[in-house]
Amino acid sequence: ITLFNRGRSNTHLFLGLEKLVGDRNGDLEALRGRRWDVCFDNNASRIDWVKYSTEFLEDSVGRYHYVSSRSAYSDLSSIPMGIHAPTYTYETAGVEPGAERLPYGLQKALCERQVQKVFGENSTIFRPGLIIGPGDPTDRFTYWPVRIHRGGEVLAPGSESDPVQIIDVRDFTEWMVRVAENRYNGVFNCVGPATPRSMAELLYGIRAVTTAETTFTWVPSSFLAEHEVRPYSDMPVWLPTAPGREGFARFDLTREVERGFTFRPLADTAKDTLDFHFSRPVARQQQLRAGLSAEREAEVLAAWHAASDG
């Protein structure tokens, strides 16, 4: 196993593995003259990076596995969502070829096509959704275990039945290795579980790993919009159903499950995420990077109660 990166952060990790230093932005010389069975490209969101690496490694790796995103889909209206739904083009993204800045979803779609162009049947495309679990610095899932652990009245967004699909980073990476070992090619959706859980199941499932006295107050998406509470950022994980994105959290995982994709219990992910959170410095624990602050949550809840009582 060889790790290739710039060697600037977390250099203390994986001391037993070979590490090569370079830069995807123009310096791959450390990879020259070597050969590997599989390349896992797990961090590229720019087409120029992927064009450079695929062309450089074309004769050096047997298979190229690229981690894309469900954001590559340009149309999320299908229920359930399948891998044959259209992905972004310059036209559907409303961007001119050669534009200096490209939307994230278009970049991912272009990267996919570049990998498939160079490696053909020896390519595999993974399209994960929100990747969660211990070690996540974004707090996009961590917000919920931490907030529920704090107890009290919790603002729960939208409808209890709103669907949710996420993926524990360990389930995802273990399956990526399994895919490589079995030489599966093609495109795969990488979220979970196979049957979408509801937002209520997510929140109540997280509560099961705490001892906090917690109640949930469900606030409609229309009210949250009026009060500028943003889905997926102020209210992490959650995205209400809207025209054109009915399939956002309803991905068909039949092919993936048949090929060994498995999902650990939500309770395991929630507990391990809490343990990770409380292992961080106190200052970092107090500064979550996603979700509402306690003050803002209380303000919105007070407004909702006032409107309901009125």
Side-chain angles (χ1 to χ4, degrees):
I1 298 176
T2 300
L3 301 180
F4 176 82
N5 52 53
R6 294 179 298 174
R8 297 181 183 178
S9 60
N10 294 320
T11 56
H12 63 289
L13 298 176
F14 312 115
L15 296 179
L17 300 183
E18 178 184 35
K19 299 180 181 180
L20 299 180
V21 177
D23 193 321
R24 301 198 60 173
N25 206 30
D27 180 14
L28 301 182
E29 284 303 311
L31 302 176
R32 189 176 297 279
R34 300 283 301 277
R35 182 163 184 83
W36 294 270
D37 296 319
V38 180
C39 168
F40 290 100
D41 186 344
N42 65 356
N43 76 336
S45 58
R46 287 176 46 177
I47 180 58
D48 53 325
W49 293 356
V50 175
K51 189 174 189 301
Y52 183 31
S53 62
T54 52
E55 293 176 353
F56 192 97
L57 295 172
E58 183 176 3
D59 298 321
S60 300
V61 299
R63 300 181 59 79
Y64 200 103
H65 289 205
Y66 175 65
V67 178
S68 182
S69 169
R70 66 180 169 190
S71 296
Y73 287 112
S74 60
D75 184 350
L76 292 168
S77 61
S78 302
I79 301 178
M81 278 292 299
I83 60 168
H84 299 297
T87 55
Y88 277 108
T89 63
Y90 284 102
E91 182 179 8
T92 57
V95 177
E96 291 293 327
E100 184 175 345
R101 296 177 64 87
L102 301 179
Y104 178 76
L106 174 60
Q107 287 272 28
K108 283 295 192 180
L110 294 175
C111 291
E112 289 183 7
R113 292 180 198 124
Q114 174 64 22
V115 170
Q116 293 167 328
K117 173 185 173 183
V118 174
F119 282 89
E121 292 185 356
N122 291 321
S123 66
T124 302
I125 305 298
F126 300 99
R127 292 175 181 158
L130 181 60
I131 302 173
I132 67 170
D136 177 22
T138 71
D139 298 328
R140 291 182 296 172
F141 170 80
T142 306
Y143 169 82
W144 288 114
V146 171
R147 174 62 193 92
I148 292 169
H149 179 79
R150 193 170 77 234
E153 183 185 18
V154 175
L155 193 163
S159 167
E160 295 181 50
S161 61
D162 287 338
V164 172
Q165 282 181 310
I166 48 185
I167 188 64
D168 188 301
V169 63
R170 297 164 294 182
D171 294 333
F172 181 32
T173 52
E174 288 168 8
W175 188 65
M176 286 174 61
V177 173
R178 202 170 300 136
V179 167
E181 291 173 339
N182 288 280
R183 298 175 178 268
Y184 296 139
N185 63 352
V187 180
F188 298 100
N189 289 320
C190 303
V191 290
T195 301
R197 62 170 60 92
S198 67
M199 194 66 190
E201 289 174 316
L202 178 78
L203 298 188
Y204 283 103
I206 293 171
R207 189 174 72 173
V209 304
T210 77
T211 58
E213 293 293 332
T214 303
T215 60
F216 296 107
T217 297
W218 294 89
V219 179
S221 58
S222 57
F223 186 88
L224 295 178
E226 290 172 8
H227 287 75
E228 299 182 345
V229 177
R230 299 165 298 172
Y232 220 66
S233 54
D234 294 329
M235 290 280 95
V237 180
W238 172 73
L239 192 66
T241 300
R245 64 167 185 246
E246 292 88 349
F248 175 78
R250 296 182 175 90
F251 283 81
D252 179 7
L253 302 175
T254 303
R255 295 173 63 254
E256 292 76 9
V257 170
E258 289 175 348
R259 288 163 178 77
F261 202 6
T262 59
F263 314 97
R264 70 193 62 214
L266 174 61
D268 288 356
T269 300
K271 181 182 183 303
D272 293 345
T273 299
L274 268 179
D275 290 344
F276 158 71
H277 172 72
F278 288 119
S279 74
R280 300 190 287 188
V282 172
R284 180 66 178 85
Q285 293 179 35
Q286 295 172 346
Q287 294 293 325
L288 290 181
R289 295 174 179 171
L292 293 177
S293 67
E295 295 76 16
R296 176 69 172 133
E297 180 192 27
E299 177 185 302
V300 176
L301 282 171
W304 168 247
H305 289 307
S308 300
D309 293 342

